[in-house]
Amino acid sequence: GDDQRARGKNAEAIPFFKHAIDLDSNFAQAWAKLSEGRSSEFWFFYDRTEAALARAKASAERALRLRPDLPGPHVSLAYYHYWGRLDYDAALRELAIARERKP
């Protein structure tokens, strides 16, 4: 079904983001997208471990350290807060920051 297709696309994308980071460890957007993929894995019950959430958060924070001016790192943190912690207020705060940084 649609869930399996979405899972397949996410599972296929994560290695590409990892490869992009291997090529350029300062590629903030790749770190942000990797974080979103990891948060998605948690949300859709493919990896519900605390370690998965820790990796999602660490990737988002790395993206944010590299490029705090971009909206993407804030969007990835929003997914982490929403999908990982059910912290809707924190997610909304990050989305508001992302909206301010949108070109």
Side-chain angles (χ1 to χ4, degrees):
D2 288 340
D3 285 345
Q4 279 306 107
R5 275 194 295 278
R7 162 68 167 131
K9 287 180 182 178
N10 188 52
E12 289 173 15
I14 287 174
F16 286 106
F17 296 129
K18 288 180 178 178
H19 183 64
I21 289 164
D22 287 342
L23 294 173
D24 180 359
S25 63
N26 293 318
F27 189 6
Q29 288 132 315
W31 282 107
K33 289 297 185 183
L34 178 60
S35 173
E36 288 176 32
R38 288 173 167 165
S39 291
S40 175
E41 293 274 288
F42 184 85
W43 178 251
F44 290 106
F45 287 87
Y46 297 110
D47 188 347
R48 294 291 287 187
T49 63
E50 282 298 312
L53 275 184
R55 288 189 299 270
K57 184 178 184 191
S59 296
E61 289 175 340
R62 175 74 183 263
L64 190 61
R65 280 193 306 276
L66 289 167
R67 292 293 305 272
D69 57 308
L70 293 177
H74 294 282
V75 171
S76 66
L77 271 177
Y79 278 115
Y80 163 78
H81 288 301
Y82 175 48
W83 282 344
R85 297 294 179 203
L86 303 181
D87 186 342
Y88 307 116
D89 291 335
L92 288 172
R93 282 193 301 273
E94 291 298 332
L95 290 175
I97 295 168
R99 187 174 42 238
E100 290 171 5
R101 284 163 174 65
K102 188 174 180 187

